[in-house]
Amino acid sequence: MNLVRDYTGIDGYTAGVSRPLLLVSNDDGFNSPGIQALVAALEPLGEVWVVAPDRENSAVSHALTLSRPLRLVEAGPRRYLVDGTPTDCIALALGHVLKGRRVDLVVSGINHGANMGDDVHYSGTVSAAFEAAVQGLPAIAVSLVAGNGWEFGHAARIARWLARRVLRLGMPEGTLLNVNVPPGTPRGAALTRLGKHRYTEGVIEGTDPRGKRCYWIGGGDPVWERIAGTDFVAIADGLVSITPLQRDMTDLARLEQLRSESGWELEGLP
Ligand code: MN
Protein backbone atom coordinates (compact mmCIF):
# COMPACT_ATOMS: atom_id res chain seq x y z
CA MET A 1 0.00 0.00 0.00
CA ASN A 2 1.30 3.43 -0.94
CA LEU A 3 0.66 5.47 2.17
CA VAL A 4 0.13 9.10 1.41
CA ARG A 5 1.03 10.65 4.77
CA ASP A 6 1.79 9.69 8.32
CA TYR A 7 0.55 11.99 11.05
CA THR A 8 1.23 9.95 14.14
CA GLY A 9 -0.17 11.77 17.11
CA ILE A 10 -2.20 14.16 15.02
CA ASP A 11 -4.39 14.99 18.00
CA GLY A 12 -1.38 16.18 19.95
CA TYR A 13 0.27 18.56 17.48
CA THR A 14 1.71 21.66 19.07
CA ALA A 15 1.71 25.21 17.82
CA GLY A 16 4.55 25.86 15.42
CA VAL A 17 4.72 22.24 14.34
CA SER A 18 3.57 21.67 10.77
CA ARG A 19 -0.19 21.08 10.74
CA PRO A 20 -1.97 19.16 8.03
CA LEU A 21 -3.60 21.24 5.32
CA LEU A 22 -7.17 20.29 4.44
CA LEU A 23 -9.05 21.56 1.40
CA VAL A 24 -12.85 21.59 1.54
CA SER A 25 -15.33 21.96 -1.29
CA ASN A 26 -18.87 20.86 -2.14
CA ASP A 27 -21.56 21.13 -4.78
CA ASP A 28 -24.37 22.76 -2.78
CA GLY A 29 -22.53 26.07 -2.68
CA PHE A 30 -20.32 28.04 -0.29
CA ASN A 31 -23.24 29.13 1.93
CA SER A 32 -24.90 25.74 2.39
CA PRO A 33 -25.27 24.49 5.98
CA GLY A 34 -23.62 21.18 5.05
CA ILE A 35 -20.24 22.68 4.16
CA GLN A 36 -20.35 24.99 7.18
CA ALA A 37 -20.88 22.00 9.50
CA LEU A 38 -18.03 20.17 7.75
CA VAL A 39 -15.59 23.07 8.07
CA ALA A 40 -16.40 23.52 11.76
CA ALA A 41 -15.82 19.80 12.35
CA LEU A 42 -12.48 19.74 10.50
CA GLU A 43 -10.97 22.94 11.98
CA PRO A 44 -9.39 21.12 14.97
CA LEU A 45 -7.46 18.81 12.62
CA GLY A 46 -5.34 21.44 10.91
CA GLU A 47 -5.38 24.36 8.51
CA VAL A 48 -8.70 24.28 6.66
CA TRP A 49 -9.07 26.03 3.31
CA VAL A 50 -12.42 26.32 1.53
CA VAL A 51 -12.78 26.76 -2.22
CA ALA A 52 -16.42 26.14 -3.11
CA PRO A 53 -18.95 27.07 -5.81
CA ASP A 54 -20.79 30.36 -5.25
CA ARG A 55 -24.12 28.63 -5.91
CA GLU A 56 -25.71 25.20 -6.07
CA ASN A 57 -24.00 22.82 -8.50
CA SER A 58 -25.66 19.51 -7.67
CA ALA A 59 -25.58 16.85 -10.41
CA VAL A 60 -23.05 18.74 -12.52
CA SER A 61 -20.83 15.64 -12.41
CA HIS A 62 -17.13 16.16 -13.21
CA ALA A 63 -17.68 19.18 -15.48
CA LEU A 64 -14.71 21.48 -16.03
CA THR A 65 -15.36 25.01 -17.30
CA LEU A 66 -13.20 25.73 -20.35
CA SER A 67 -15.43 28.04 -22.38
CA ARG A 68 -15.41 31.16 -20.18
CA PRO A 69 -13.18 32.82 -17.57
CA LEU A 70 -13.73 31.95 -13.91
CA ARG A 71 -14.01 34.44 -11.04
CA LEU A 72 -12.46 33.77 -7.66
CA VAL A 73 -13.80 35.81 -4.73
CA GLU A 74 -12.01 35.86 -1.37
CA ALA A 75 -14.69 35.75 1.33
CA GLY A 76 -12.27 35.75 4.27
CA PRO A 77 -9.02 34.17 5.43
CA ARG A 78 -8.64 30.81 3.60
CA ARG A 79 -12.20 31.11 2.21
CA TYR A 80 -12.92 31.40 -1.53
CA LEU A 81 -15.94 31.29 -3.83
CA VAL A 82 -15.78 30.31 -7.50
CA ASP A 83 -18.46 30.92 -10.13
CA GLY A 84 -17.87 27.43 -11.47
CA THR A 85 -18.24 23.73 -10.80
CA PRO A 86 -16.83 21.64 -7.93
CA THR A 87 -14.11 20.37 -10.28
CA ASP A 88 -13.27 23.99 -11.20
CA CYS A 89 -12.93 24.69 -7.46
CA ILE A 90 -10.41 21.88 -6.94
CA ALA A 91 -8.51 22.92 -10.07
CA LEU A 92 -8.32 26.57 -8.94
CA ALA A 93 -7.48 25.59 -5.36
CA LEU A 94 -4.58 23.33 -6.33
CA GLY A 95 -3.39 25.29 -9.34
CA HIS A 96 -3.66 28.79 -7.90
CA VAL A 97 -4.92 29.40 -4.33
CA LEU A 98 -2.73 26.70 -2.78
CA LYS A 99 -0.09 26.54 -5.49
CA GLY A 100 3.17 25.38 -3.96
CA ARG A 101 1.52 24.21 -0.74
CA ARG A 102 1.22 20.56 0.23
CA VAL A 103 -2.45 19.57 0.49
CA ASP A 104 -2.85 16.59 2.82
CA LEU A 105 -6.53 15.82 2.37
CA VAL A 106 -9.51 16.98 0.32
CA VAL A 107 -12.99 16.63 1.83
CA SER A 108 -16.16 17.35 -0.17
CA GLY A 109 -19.60 17.89 1.35
CA ILE A 110 -21.53 17.51 3.43
CA ASN A 111 -23.97 17.02 0.59
CA HIS A 112 -27.65 17.61 1.20
CA GLY A 113 -28.85 14.20 0.04
CA ALA A 114 -27.50 10.73 -0.71
CA ASN A 115 -24.84 9.91 -3.28
CA MET A 116 -25.10 6.16 -3.62
CA GLY A 117 -25.00 3.56 -6.38
CA ASP A 118 -24.91 4.93 -9.92
CA ASP A 119 -25.69 8.44 -8.65
CA VAL A 120 -21.97 8.92 -7.87
CA HIS A 121 -21.51 9.52 -11.61
CA TYR A 122 -23.80 12.57 -11.53
CA SER A 123 -22.70 13.92 -8.20
CA GLY A 124 -20.72 17.16 -8.02
CA THR A 125 -19.83 16.31 -4.42
CA VAL A 126 -18.22 13.02 -5.38
CA SER A 127 -16.57 14.61 -8.43
CA ALA A 128 -14.72 17.17 -6.29
CA ALA A 129 -13.21 14.24 -4.36
CA PHE A 130 -12.66 12.35 -7.60
CA GLU A 131 -10.75 15.32 -9.04
CA ALA A 132 -8.55 15.34 -5.95
CA ALA A 133 -7.82 11.65 -6.53
CA VAL A 134 -6.97 12.43 -10.16
CA GLN A 135 -4.49 15.01 -8.80
CA GLY A 136 -2.96 12.31 -6.57
CA LEU A 137 -4.46 13.46 -3.28
CA PRO A 138 -6.41 11.47 -0.68
CA ALA A 139 -10.05 12.51 -0.70
CA ILE A 140 -13.35 11.90 1.06
CA ALA A 141 -16.87 12.76 -0.16
CA VAL A 142 -19.53 12.97 2.56
CA SER A 143 -23.30 13.00 1.97
CA LEU A 144 -26.22 13.07 4.39
CA VAL A 145 -29.22 11.00 3.34
CA ALA A 146 -32.46 12.97 3.50
CA GLY A 147 -34.58 12.51 6.60
CA ASN A 148 -36.87 14.81 8.54
CA GLY A 149 -35.01 18.07 8.02
CA TRP A 150 -31.22 18.37 7.88
CA GLU A 151 -29.25 17.61 11.01
CA PHE A 152 -25.54 17.60 10.12
CA GLY A 153 -24.12 16.87 13.59
CA HIS A 154 -23.53 13.13 13.16
CA ALA A 155 -22.30 13.46 9.58
CA ALA A 156 -19.85 16.19 10.63
CA ARG A 157 -18.47 14.08 13.49
CA ILE A 158 -18.07 11.08 11.17
CA ALA A 159 -16.31 13.27 8.60
CA ARG A 160 -13.82 14.39 11.26
CA TRP A 161 -13.33 10.82 12.49
CA LEU A 162 -12.60 9.60 8.94
CA ALA A 163 -10.45 12.60 8.04
CA ARG A 164 -8.32 12.02 11.13
CA ARG A 165 -7.97 8.36 10.23
CA VAL A 166 -6.98 9.06 6.61
CA LEU A 167 -4.47 11.72 7.72
CA ARG A 168 -2.96 9.24 10.14
CA LEU A 169 -3.01 6.08 8.01
CA GLY A 170 -2.89 7.51 4.50
CA MET A 171 -4.74 6.00 1.58
CA PRO A 172 -3.63 4.06 -1.50
CA GLU A 173 -3.00 6.52 -4.32
CA GLY A 174 -6.01 6.91 -6.62
CA THR A 175 -8.52 5.85 -3.97
CA LEU A 176 -11.26 8.09 -2.59
CA LEU A 177 -13.86 7.32 0.04
CA ASN A 178 -17.53 7.90 -0.73
CA VAL A 179 -19.36 8.23 2.57
CA ASN A 180 -23.12 8.33 3.10
CA VAL A 181 -24.59 9.00 6.52
CA PRO A 182 -28.12 7.87 7.40
CA PRO A 183 -30.60 10.35 8.88
CA GLY A 184 -30.89 10.23 12.66
CA THR A 185 -28.29 8.56 14.86
CA PRO A 186 -26.17 5.98 12.98
CA ARG A 187 -26.04 2.49 14.52
CA GLY A 188 -22.50 1.99 13.25
CA ALA A 189 -20.56 1.99 10.00
CA ALA A 190 -19.94 -0.51 7.21
CA LEU A 191 -17.51 -0.81 4.32
CA THR A 192 -19.67 -1.21 1.23
CA ARG A 193 -19.77 -1.39 -2.56
CA LEU A 194 -21.95 0.74 -4.82
CA GLY A 195 -25.50 -0.53 -5.10
CA LYS A 196 -28.12 -0.23 -7.78
CA HIS A 197 -31.34 1.72 -8.09
CA ARG A 198 -33.53 3.10 -10.79
CA TYR A 199 -35.94 5.98 -11.06
CA THR A 200 -39.52 4.88 -11.59
CA GLU A 201 -40.38 7.87 -13.75
CA GLY A 202 -37.40 9.02 -15.80
CA VAL A 203 -38.92 12.04 -17.55
CA ILE A 204 -41.98 14.06 -16.60
CA GLU A 205 -43.65 16.10 -19.32
CA GLY A 206 -45.41 19.35 -18.49
CA THR A 207 -46.39 22.72 -19.85
CA ASP A 208 -44.65 25.98 -18.93
CA PRO A 209 -46.59 29.21 -18.07
CA ARG A 210 -46.38 30.27 -21.73
CA GLY A 211 -47.96 27.05 -22.92
CA LYS A 212 -44.80 25.44 -24.27
CA ARG A 213 -43.93 21.81 -23.65
CA CYS A 214 -41.24 21.25 -21.00
CA TYR A 215 -39.60 18.29 -19.30
CA TRP A 216 -38.18 17.39 -15.89
CA ILE A 217 -35.58 14.63 -15.54
CA GLY A 218 -35.34 12.42 -12.47
CA GLY A 219 -38.89 12.43 -11.20
CA GLY A 220 -40.52 9.71 -9.18
CA ASP A 221 -39.24 7.80 -6.18
CA PRO A 222 -36.19 5.66 -6.92
CA VAL A 223 -36.49 1.92 -6.33
CA TRP A 224 -33.34 0.19 -5.08
CA GLU A 225 -32.45 -3.45 -5.13
CA ARG A 226 -31.49 -5.14 -1.86
CA ILE A 227 -28.03 -6.41 -2.84
CA ALA A 228 -26.00 -7.53 0.19
CA GLY A 229 -22.95 -5.44 1.01
CA THR A 230 -24.08 -2.34 -0.88
CA ASP A 231 -24.38 1.28 0.24
CA PHE A 232 -28.19 1.23 -0.05
CA VAL A 233 -28.48 -1.74 2.31
CA ALA A 234 -26.13 -0.17 4.86
CA ILE A 235 -28.16 3.05 4.89
CA ALA A 236 -31.45 1.14 5.11
CA ASP A 237 -29.98 -0.64 8.15
CA GLY A 238 -29.09 2.67 9.79
CA LEU A 239 -25.33 2.34 9.16
CA VAL A 240 -22.83 4.84 7.77
CA SER A 241 -21.78 3.55 4.35
CA ILE A 242 -18.10 3.88 3.37
CA THR A 243 -17.34 2.91 -0.23
CA PRO A 244 -13.82 3.11 -1.62
CA LEU A 245 -13.88 4.32 -5.24
CA GLN A 246 -10.98 4.24 -7.67
CA ARG A 247 -9.70 6.89 -10.03
CA ASP A 248 -8.71 4.27 -12.58
CA MET A 249 -12.02 2.93 -13.90
CA THR A 250 -10.35 0.25 -16.04
CA ASP A 251 -12.12 -3.08 -15.64
CA LEU A 252 -8.93 -5.10 -15.19
CA ALA A 253 -10.66 -8.50 -14.97
CA ARG A 254 -12.60 -7.79 -18.17
CA LEU A 255 -9.46 -6.51 -19.88
CA GLU A 256 -7.72 -9.82 -19.24
CA GLN A 257 -10.78 -11.74 -20.39
CA LEU A 258 -11.08 -9.74 -23.63
CA ARG A 259 -7.36 -10.17 -24.32
CA SER A 260 -7.69 -13.93 -24.00
CA GLU A 261 -10.96 -14.32 -25.92
CA SER A 262 -10.96 -15.34 -29.53
CA GLY A 263 -12.66 -12.76 -31.69
CA TRP A 264 -10.96 -9.89 -29.87
CA GLU A 265 -7.61 -10.15 -31.67
CA LEU A 266 -7.37 -6.64 -33.12
CA GLU A 267 -4.64 -7.23 -35.68
CA GLY A 268 -7.30 -7.57 -38.36
CA LEU A 269 -8.53 -3.99 -37.90
CA PRO A 270 -9.87 -2.83 -41.29
MN1 MN B 1 -25.60 18.63 -3.78
Side-chain angles (χ1 to χ4, degrees):
M1 186 190 281
N2 173 17
L3 293 185
V4 178
R5 274 327 157 220
D6 178 10
Y7 277 104
T8 312
I10 195 169
D11 298 315
Y13 67 79
T14 48
V17 174
S18 171
R19 302 169 65 197
L21 192 161
L22 294 90
L23 170 63
V24 173
S25 194
N26 75 343
D27 77 358
D28 295 325
F30 185 91
N31 292 310
S32 75
I35 196 170
Q36 289 166 12
L38 178 62
V39 168
L42 296 179
E43 285 284 5
L45 301 189
E47 188 180 319
V48 177
W49 291 70
V50 180
V51 182
D54 64 358
R55 70 201 76 176
E56 161 130 29
N57 268 265
S58 294
V60 301
S61 193
H62 207 137
L64 189 62
T65 302
L66 299 177
S67 57
R68 62 173 176 84
L70 291 166
R71 304 287 177 193
L72 181 72
V73 175
E74 189 171 356
R78 302 187 302 279
R79 302 289 183 268
Y80 295 85
L81 292 86
V82 177
D83 63 341
T85 66
T87 300
D88 293 334
C89 291
I90 300 300
L92 276 185
L94 301 179
H96 177 71
V97 176
L98 291 164
K99 194 177 170 81
R101 300 285 312 269
R102 188 185 76 186
V103 175
D104 297 296
L105 177 65
V106 175
V107 188
S108 179
I110 299 166
N111 190 60
H112 296 226
N115 278 308
M116 300 189 287
D118 294 322
D119 284 351
V120 299
H121 294 286
Y122 309 109
S123 168
T125 303
V126 175
S127 290
F130 206 94
E131 179 61 20
V134 168
Q135 304 284 343
L137 299 172
I140 305 172
V142 186
S143 303
L144 176 62
V145 180
N148 294 324
W150 297 103
E151 215 306 288
F152 289 98
H154 292 296
R157 267 192 301 281
I158 284 150
R160 178 170 56 216
W161 173 71
L162 274 172
R164 187 177 275 147
R165 180 164 291 203
V166 170
L167 286 167
R168 189 182 286 151
L169 300 176
M171 216 155 41
E173 177 143 15
T175 299
L176 56 141
L177 298 180
N178 183 46
V179 180
N180 282 274
V181 179
T185 306
R187 290 176 41 238
L191 288 163
T192 58
R193 59 175 296 175
L194 295 177
K196 185 80 194 152
H197 74 164
R198 59 190 166 78
Y199 289 96
T200 47
E201 231 174 331
V203 177
I204 294 171
E205 189 176 286
T207 311
D208 76 12
R210 294 183 179 81
K212 289 182 74 175
R213 280 253 170 280
C214 63
Y215 302 89
W216 283 101
I217 291 174
D221 290 327
V223 178
W224 56 276
E225 298 166 33
R226 195 170 177 99
I227 305 167
T230 61
D231 43 12
F232 288 105
V233 170
I235 289 296
D237 292 343
L239 302 172
V240 175
S241 163
I242 304 167
T243 309
L245 303 179
Q246 57 183 350
R247 176 194 58 77
D248 182 351
M249 291 194 277
T250 309
D251 185 340
L252 291 173
R254 192 69 56 200
L255 177 64
E256 285 312 306
Q257 186 194 336
L258 289 174
R259 277 177 171 159
S260 66
E261 264 180 16
S262 63
W264 279 99
E265 306 92 348
L266 302 180
E267 289 77 21
L269 197 66

